[in-house]
Amino acid sequence: MTKLLCILIDGLQLEALQCAHVRCLKKLMASGTTVNNLRHDGPNLPLPGLSTLFSSIPPQEHGVMDNNSGLVDSRHAISLFSLLRYHHLTASLFYSREHMQYLLPHGEIHTSVFLNSQGIKNMDRQLAEMAGSHIQREQPDVCCLALQGTDIAGTHFGYLSEPYLETVEQADQAIGILTERLRMVGLDNEYTIMVTSSYGGAWTYDPKSNKNGTSLPWIISGKAIARNTVIEQNISFIDVAPTLAHILDVFPHPNWQGSRVQDFFTQGNERQISQEKQSYMHLFKEHKMRPAA
């Protein structure tokens, strides 16, 4: 089974990849597949976006419409992390945005590290160092790293401003730290790496139409992923969790509304989920078993 390194760069806009010096991100793009139009139909805020990313249902159904609540309060959402725990897979989360504590019910994450961003210079680098050391020691099945520096700079100085682009480059350096840590211990072929954003940082949400105009990048690189490929059509946030579940050989929850993006995968790697894991499907449907809390 492939392990997964999930990197979330808050406020990362597609245009930043053309304007900033992002050597590590471009290397991932060359070795993997990039979606240029990942879209979130809901409030352009981190927690609503993350809730949709990991539960594969839209905000009007999971009910997370601001940064003051999360999936812990939702009666309808089953997150990817719940499925991981159900299948006895380990997951870790490293973050500096305090609101992320509302995202996951207690017990779904084996290791959760919060770094208070106040007074810390280049906190994204420090988080990456901590996450890299953790991966080397524990080798979790999924490690999620949430970087906030880009969003802070965009909010204070404007998106695509010089300070904003500097923090995008710092996030790129943080990715370089992680990939180097993986290489040092021979894990670079064990982990598939995903990079995206929980939201684009531009306040373009129209509550009447429940749409926002921000397109985000979504990059995946790994041994089963097509190389140097670009997907131009619009892809929804609800398709992220099913795609990640397929990478992890986990059957998606029947409540999920999205579908895996097949164009990510090389020909011959569109494998079927194992028969043993498919057998859990009817148990989920009958609501006799739920992921452990």
Side-chain angles (χ1 to χ4, degrees), residues 112-148:
S112 179
V113 177
F114 168 68
L115 181 64
N116 193 323
S117 61
Q118 288 187 330
I120 297 179
K121 185 177 181 181
N122 199 346
M123 61 185 172
D124 289 350
R125 182 183 181 90
Q126 291 201 33
L127 272 176
E129 293 278 7
M130 296 167 68
S133 297
H134 171 75
I135 292 174
Q136 287 180 322
R137 293 192 311 269
E138 304 296 334
Q139 300 181 27
D141 297 300
V142 176
C143 183
C144 186
L145 174 65
L147 304 179
Q148 188 187 0

mmCIF file of all heavy atoms in Angstrom, residues 112-148:
data_model
loop_
_atom_site.group_PDB
_atom_site.id
_atom_site.type_symbol
_atom_site.label_atom_id
_atom_site.label_comp_id
_atom_site.label_asym_id
_atom_site.label_seq_id
_atom_site.Cartn_x
_atom_site.Cartn_y
_atom_site.Cartn_z
ATOM 1 N N SER A 112 -1.128 14.606 16.663
ATOM 2 C CA SER A 112 -1.590 15.943 16.286
ATOM 3 C C SER A 112 -0.683 16.966 16.957
ATOM 4 O O SER A 112 -0.561 16.992 18.186
ATOM 5 C CB SER A 112 -3.044 16.146 16.742
ATOM 6 O OG SER A 112 -3.497 17.447 16.400
ATOM 7 N N VAL A 113 -0.034 17.817 16.141
ATOM 8 C CA VAL A 113 0.922 18.792 16.646
ATOM 9 C C VAL A 113 0.483 20.183 16.215
ATOM 10 O O VAL A 113 0.382 20.466 15.010
ATOM 11 C CB VAL A 113 2.350 18.497 16.145
ATOM 12 C CG1 VAL A 113 3.313 19.575 16.622
ATOM 13 C CG2 VAL A 113 2.809 17.123 16.614
ATOM 14 N N PHE A 114 0.221 21.029 17.203
ATOM 15 C CA PHE A 114 -0.155 22.418 16.944
ATOM 16 C C PHE A 114 1.009 23.325 17.308
ATOM 17 O O PHE A 114 1.553 23.240 18.411
ATOM 18 C CB PHE A 114 -1.384 22.805 17.765
ATOM 19 C CG PHE A 114 -1.681 24.286 17.775
ATOM 20 C CD1 PHE A 114 -2.109 24.934 16.627
ATOM 21 C CD2 PHE A 114 -1.518 25.032 18.933
ATOM 22 C CE1 PHE A 114 -2.373 26.295 16.626
ATOM 23 C CE2 PHE A 114 -1.785 26.395 18.948
ATOM 24 C CZ PHE A 114 -2.217 27.024 17.786
ATOM 25 N N LEU A 115 1.398 24.192 16.387
ATOM 26 C CA LEU A 115 2.472 25.157 16.612
ATOM 27 C C LEU A 115 1.880 26.554 16.584
ATOM 28 O O LEU A 115 1.361 26.990 15.548
ATOM 29 C CB LEU A 115 3.554 25.020 15.535
ATOM 30 C CG LEU A 115 4.772 25.953 15.643
ATOM 31 C CD1 LEU A 115 5.553 25.659 16.918
ATOM 32 C CD2 LEU A 115 5.685 25.793 14.433
ATOM 33 N N ASN A 116 1.916 27.236 17.727
ATOM 34 C CA ASN A 116 1.373 28.595 17.808
ATOM 35 C C ASN A 116 2.228 29.520 16.955
ATOM 36 O O ASN A 116 3.437 29.641 17.156
ATOM 37 C CB ASN A 116 1.368 29.066 19.262
ATOM 38 C CG ASN A 116 0.541 30.323 19.447
ATOM 39 O OD1 ASN A 116 0.529 31.197 18.594
ATOM 40 N ND2 ASN A 116 -0.156 30.406 20.561
ATOM 41 N N SER A 117 1.586 30.185 16.001
ATOM 42 C CA SER A 117 2.328 30.979 15.021
ATOM 43 C C SER A 117 2.808 32.321 15.557
ATOM 44 O O SER A 117 3.637 32.968 14.925
ATOM 45 C CB SER A 117 1.443 31.224 13.791
ATOM 46 O OG SER A 117 0.267 31.935 14.144
ATOM 47 N N GLN A 118 2.322 32.763 16.698
ATOM 48 C CA GLN A 118 2.687 34.084 17.206
ATOM 49 C C GLN A 118 4.166 34.129 17.576
ATOM 50 O O GLN A 118 4.653 33.307 18.356
ATOM 51 C CB GLN A 118 1.841 34.450 18.418
ATOM 52 C CG GLN A 118 0.391 34.767 18.070
ATOM 53 C CD GLN A 118 -0.372 35.297 19.267
ATOM 54 O OE1 GLN A 118 -0.086 34.949 20.401
ATOM 55 N NE2 GLN A 118 -1.353 36.140 19.009
ATOM 56 N N GLY A 119 4.861 35.095 17.010
ATOM 57 C CA GLY A 119 6.256 35.311 17.340
ATOM 58 C C GLY A 119 7.229 34.327 16.729
ATOM 59 O O GLY A 119 8.419 34.354 17.039
ATOM 60 N N ILE A 120 6.768 33.435 15.861
ATOM 61 C CA ILE A 120 7.647 32.453 15.245
ATOM 62 C C ILE A 120 7.945 32.877 13.810
ATOM 63 O O ILE A 120 7.043 33.070 13.006
ATOM 64 C CB ILE A 120 7.004 31.055 15.256
ATOM 65 C CG1 ILE A 120 6.785 30.587 16.699
ATOM 66 C CG2 ILE A 120 7.886 30.053 14.511
ATOM 67 C CD1 ILE A 120 6.125 29.239 16.799
ATOM 68 N N LYS A 121 9.205 33.038 13.516
ATOM 69 C CA LYS A 121 9.610 33.407 12.167
ATOM 70 C C LYS A 121 9.666 32.161 11.298
ATOM 71 O O LYS A 121 10.249 31.149 11.678
ATOM 72 C CB LYS A 121 10.977 34.095 12.199
ATOM 73 C CG LYS A 121 11.418 34.628 10.839
ATOM 74 C CD LYS A 121 12.744 35.363 10.955
ATOM 75 C CE LYS A 121 13.172 35.906 9.596
ATOM 76 N NZ LYS A 121 14.477 36.619 9.685
ATOM 77 N N ASN A 122 9.039 32.231 10.145
ATOM 78 C CA ASN A 122 8.986 31.124 9.192
ATOM 79 C C ASN A 122 8.500 29.844 9.874
ATOM 80 O O ASN A 122 9.182 28.818 9.917
ATOM 81 C CB ASN A 122 10.346 30.890 8.532
ATOM 82 C CG ASN A 122 10.220 30.094 7.231
ATOM 83 O OD1 ASN A 122 9.169 29.511 6.952
ATOM 84 N ND2 ASN A 122 11.285 30.066 6.444
ATOM 85 N N MET A 123 7.283 29.924 10.409
ATOM 86 C CA MET A 123 6.701 28.778 11.120
ATOM 87 C C MET A 123 6.498 27.598 10.178
ATOM 88 O O MET A 123 6.536 26.439 10.619
ATOM 89 C CB MET A 123 5.375 29.182 11.739
ATOM 90 C CG MET A 123 4.342 29.626 10.732
ATOM 91 S SD MET A 123 2.852 30.232 11.503
ATOM 92 C CE MET A 123 1.993 30.887 10.052
ATOM 93 N N ASP A 124 6.277 27.871 8.889
ATOM 94 C CA ASP A 124 6.085 26.774 7.940
ATOM 95 C C ASP A 124 7.311 25.873 7.892
ATOM 96 O O ASP A 124 7.195 24.636 7.822
ATOM 97 C CB ASP A 124 5.775 27.312 6.542
ATOM 98 C CG ASP A 124 4.374 27.928 6.443
ATOM 99 O OD1 ASP A 124 3.598 27.753 7.402
ATOM 100 O OD2 ASP A 124 4.083 28.548 5.414
ATOM 101 N N ARG A 125 8.483 26.478 7.955
ATOM 102 C CA ARG A 125 9.718 25.688 7.951
ATOM 103 C C ARG A 125 9.813 24.837 9.214
ATOM 104 O O ARG A 125 10.170 23.656 9.162
ATOM 105 C CB ARG A 125 10.936 26.609 7.843
ATOM 106 C CG ARG A 125 12.251 25.837 7.781
ATOM 107 C CD ARG A 125 13.460 26.758 7.750
ATOM 108 N NE ARG A 125 14.680 25.976 7.658
ATOM 109 C CZ ARG A 125 15.259 25.615 6.518
ATOM 110 N NH1 ARG A 125 14.722 25.976 5.364
ATOM 111 N NH2 ARG A 125 16.358 24.900 6.517
ATOM 112 N N GLN A 126 9.478 25.446 10.355
ATOM 113 C CA GLN A 126 9.547 24.693 11.607
ATOM 114 C C GLN A 126 8.565 23.523 11.613
ATOM 115 O O GLN A 126 8.889 22.428 12.073
ATOM 116 C CB GLN A 126 9.292 25.624 12.786
ATOM 117 C CG GLN A 126 10.404 26.630 13.021
ATOM 118 C CD GLN A 126 10.390 27.180 14.432
ATOM 119 O OE1 GLN A 126 10.027 26.499 15.372
ATOM 120 N NE2 GLN A 126 10.797 28.435 14.580
ATOM 121 N N LEU A 127 7.356 23.757 11.117
ATOM 122 C CA LEU A 127 6.385 22.666 11.026
ATOM 123 C C LEU A 127 6.895 21.556 10.122
ATOM 124 O O LEU A 127 6.731 20.363 10.422
ATOM 125 C CB LEU A 127 5.048 23.194 10.501
ATOM 126 C CG LEU A 127 4.049 23.734 11.514
ATOM 127 C CD1 LEU A 127 2.827 24.299 10.797
ATOM 128 C CD2 LEU A 127 3.622 22.672 12.521
ATOM 129 N N ALA A 128 7.498 21.944 9.001
ATOM 130 C CA ALA A 128 8.025 20.945 8.067
ATOM 131 C C ALA A 128 9.147 20.136 8.709
ATOM 132 O O ALA A 128 9.239 18.914 8.506
ATOM 133 C CB ALA A 128 8.513 21.619 6.793
ATOM 134 N N GLU A 129 10.000 20.796 9.479
ATOM 135 C CA GLU A 129 11.077 20.080 10.170
ATOM 136 C C GLU A 129 10.492 19.067 11.154
ATOM 137 O O GLU A 129 10.961 17.917 11.246
ATOM 138 C CB GLU A 129 11.971 21.077 10.913
ATOM 139 C CG GLU A 129 12.771 22.011 10.019
ATOM 140 C CD GLU A 129 14.041 21.375 9.484
ATOM 141 O OE1 GLU A 129 14.242 20.162 9.689
ATOM 142 O OE2 GLU A 129 14.827 22.102 8.847
ATOM 143 N N MET A 130 9.468 19.492 11.902
ATOM 144 C CA MET A 130 8.838 18.598 12.874
ATOM 145 C C MET A 130 8.150 17.424 12.178
ATOM 146 O O MET A 130 8.276 16.269 12.606
ATOM 147 C CB MET A 130 7.841 19.390 13.716
ATOM 148 C CG MET A 130 8.476 20.473 14.568
ATOM 149 S SD MET A 130 7.261 21.642 15.252
ATOM 150 C CE MET A 130 6.383 20.576 16.390
ATOM 151 N N ALA A 131 7.422 17.727 11.105
ATOM 152 C CA ALA A 131 6.731 16.670 10.368
ATOM 153 C C ALA A 131 7.723 15.706 9.725
ATOM 154 O O ALA A 131 7.513 14.481 9.721
ATOM 155 C CB ALA A 131 5.815 17.273 9.309
ATOM 156 N N GLY A 132 8.821 16.254 9.192
ATOM 157 C CA GLY A 132 9.828 15.402 8.566
ATOM 158 C C GLY A 132 10.457 14.440 9.552
ATOM 159 O O GLY A 132 10.643 13.255 9.245
ATOM 160 N N SER A 133 10.783 14.920 10.748
ATOM 161 C CA SER A 133 11.359 14.048 11.775
ATOM 162 C C SER A 133 10.358 12.978 12.195
ATOM 163 O O SER A 133 10.729 11.814 12.423
ATOM 164 C CB SER A 133 11.779 14.882 12.995
ATOM 165 O OG SER A 133 12.798 15.799 12.653
ATOM 166 N N HIS A 134 9.089 13.371 12.294
ATOM 167 C CA HIS A 134 8.048 12.421 12.677
ATOM 168 C C HIS A 134 7.902 11.315 11.626
ATOM 169 O O HIS A 134 7.797 10.130 11.969
ATOM 170 C CB HIS A 134 6.726 13.161 12.848
ATOM 171 C CG HIS A 134 5.545 12.261 13.031
ATOM 172 N ND1 HIS A 134 5.288 11.590 14.209
ATOM 173 C CD2 HIS A 134 4.556 11.892 12.173
ATOM 174 C CE1 HIS A 134 4.195 10.860 14.078
ATOM 175 N NE2 HIS A 134 3.729 11.024 12.851
ATOM 176 N N ILE A 135 7.913 11.686 10.360
ATOM 177 C CA ILE A 135 7.779 10.688 9.293
ATOM 178 C C ILE A 135 8.952 9.717 9.324
ATOM 179 O O ILE A 135 8.784 8.502 9.169
ATOM 180 C CB ILE A 135 7.668 11.377 7.922
ATOM 181 C CG1 ILE A 135 6.350 12.141 7.806
ATOM 182 C CG2 ILE A 135 7.772 10.348 6.798
ATOM 183 C CD1 ILE A 135 6.228 12.968 6.546
ATOM 184 N N GLN A 136 10.155 10.247 9.538
ATOM 185 C CA GLN A 136 11.324 9.376 9.589
ATOM 186 C C GLN A 136 11.217 8.361 10.722
ATOM 187 O O GLN A 136 11.589 7.197 10.556
ATOM 188 C CB GLN A 136 12.599 10.216 9.772
ATOM 189 C CG GLN A 136 13.012 10.989 8.529
ATOM 190 C CD GLN A 136 14.261 11.799 8.764
ATOM 191 O OE1 GLN A 136 14.463 12.376 9.836
ATOM 192 N NE2 GLN A 136 15.123 11.848 7.758
ATOM 193 N N ARG A 137 10.682 8.805 11.867
ATOM 194 C CA ARG A 137 10.598 7.913 13.033
ATOM 195 C C ARG A 137 9.415 6.958 12.955
ATOM 196 O O ARG A 137 9.539 5.761 13.184
ATOM 197 C CB ARG A 137 10.472 8.737 14.327
ATOM 198 C CG ARG A 137 11.682 9.549 14.705
ATOM 199 C CD ARG A 137 11.524 10.050 16.137
ATOM 200 N NE ARG A 137 10.221 10.656 16.357
ATOM 201 C CZ ARG A 137 9.947 11.948 16.191
ATOM 202 N NH1 ARG A 137 10.908 12.772 15.794
ATOM 203 N NH2 ARG A 137 8.731 12.425 16.410
ATOM 204 N N GLU A 138 8.228 7.507 12.633
ATOM 205 C CA GLU A 138 6.988 6.755 12.789
ATOM 206 C C GLU A 138 6.441 6.175 11.479
ATOM 207 O O GLU A 138 5.641 5.234 11.504
ATOM 208 C CB GLU A 138 5.918 7.657 13.423
ATOM 209 C CG GLU A 138 6.327 8.272 14.754
ATOM 210 C CD GLU A 138 6.547 7.242 15.834
ATOM 211 O OE1 GLU A 138 5.933 6.151 15.745
ATOM 212 O OE2 GLU A 138 7.330 7.511 16.766
ATOM 213 N N GLN A 139 6.808 6.769 10.353
ATOM 214 C CA GLN A 139 6.330 6.324 9.043
ATOM 215 C C GLN A 139 4.804 6.149 9.022
ATOM 216 O O GLN A 139 4.292 5.062 8.717
ATOM 217 C CB GLN A 139 7.025 5.032 8.628
ATOM 218 C CG GLN A 139 8.525 5.156 8.525
ATOM 219 C CD GLN A 139 9.215 3.875 8.076
ATOM 220 O OE1 GLN A 139 8.618 3.055 7.388
ATOM 221 N NE2 GLN A 139 10.465 3.700 8.463
ATOM 222 N N PRO A 140 4.049 7.204 9.348
ATOM 223 C CA PRO A 140 2.587 7.080 9.362
ATOM 224 C C PRO A 140 2.052 6.782 7.973
ATOM 225 O O PRO A 140 2.682 7.112 6.961
ATOM 226 C CB PRO A 140 2.129 8.458 9.848
ATOM 227 C CG PRO A 140 3.224 9.387 9.412
ATOM 228 C CD PRO A 140 4.492 8.589 9.582
ATOM 229 N N ASP A 141 0.879 6.171 7.920
ATOM 230 C CA ASP A 141 0.261 5.900 6.626
ATOM 231 C C ASP A 141 -0.129 7.187 5.915
ATOM 232 O O ASP A 141 -0.030 7.289 4.696
ATOM 233 C CB ASP A 141 -0.966 5.002 6.811
ATOM 234 C CG ASP A 141 -0.597 3.642 7.369
ATOM 235 O OD1 ASP A 141 0.188 2.937 6.706
ATOM 236 O OD2 ASP A 141 -1.070 3.297 8.458
ATOM 237 N N VAL A 142 -0.578 8.178 6.692
ATOM 238 C CA VAL A 142 -0.922 9.496 6.148
ATOM 239 C C VAL A 142 -0.362 10.565 7.080
ATOM 240 O O VAL A 142 -0.561 10.498 8.294
ATOM 241 C CB VAL A 142 -2.447 9.688 6.012
ATOM 242 C CG1 VAL A 142 -2.765 11.104 5.532
ATOM 243 C CG2 VAL A 142 -3.038 8.664 5.057
ATOM 244 N N CYS A 143 0.354 11.519 6.517
ATOM 245 C CA CYS A 143 0.811 12.688 7.270
ATOM 246 C C CYS A 143 0.287 13.927 6.562
ATOM 247 O O CYS A 143 0.514 14.114 5.362
ATOM 248 C CB CYS A 143 2.332 12.731 7.368
ATOM 249 S SG CYS A 143 2.944 14.125 8.374
ATOM 250 N N CYS A 144 -0.425 14.761 7.303
ATOM 251 C CA CYS A 144 -1.012 15.981 6.753
ATOM 252 C C CYS A 144 -0.316 17.182 7.375
ATOM 253 O O CYS A 144 -0.283 17.319 8.610
ATOM 254 C CB CYS A 144 -2.511 16.012 7.034
ATOM 255 S SG CYS A 144 -3.364 17.406 6.255
ATOM 256 N N LEU A 145 0.226 18.048 6.540
ATOM 257 C CA LEU A 145 0.922 19.259 6.975
ATOM 258 C C LEU A 145 0.182 20.468 6.423
ATOM 259 O O LEU A 145 0.040 20.615 5.213
ATOM 260 C CB LEU A 145 2.370 19.248 6.470
ATOM 261 C CG LEU A 145 3.200 20.511 6.714
ATOM 262 C CD1 LEU A 145 3.419 20.740 8.198
ATOM 263 C CD2 LEU A 145 4.541 20.414 5.981
ATOM 264 N N ALA A 146 -0.313 21.335 7.318
ATOM 265 C CA ALA A 146 -1.070 22.526 6.922
ATOM 266 C C ALA A 146 -0.201 23.763 7.134
ATOM 267 O O ALA A 146 0.162 24.091 8.265
ATOM 268 C CB ALA A 146 -2.355 22.628 7.731
ATOM 269 N N LEU A 147 0.141 24.454 6.043
ATOM 270 C CA LEU A 147 1.011 25.633 6.079
ATOM 271 C C LEU A 147 0.165 26.897 5.962
ATOM 272 O O LEU A 147 -0.634 27.029 5.039
ATOM 273 C CB LEU A 147 2.029 25.562 4.948
ATOM 274 C CG LEU A 147 2.906 24.297 4.921
ATOM 275 C CD1 LEU A 147 3.869 24.329 3.741
ATOM 276 C CD2 LEU A 147 3.665 24.135 6.230
ATOM 277 N N GLN A 148 0.387 27.830 6.872
ATOM 278 C CA GLN A 148 -0.475 29.002 6.988
ATOM 279 C C GLN A 148 0.196 30.299 6.549
ATOM 280 O O GLN A 148 -0.468 31.313 6.340
ATOM 281 C CB GLN A 148 -0.946 29.131 8.445
ATOM 282 C CG GLN A 148 -2.003 30.182 8.684
ATOM 283 C CD GLN A 148 -2.294 30.384 10.171
ATOM 284 O OE1 GLN A 148 -1.694 29.720 11.024
ATOM 285 N NE2 GLN A 148 -3.192 31.303 10.481
#
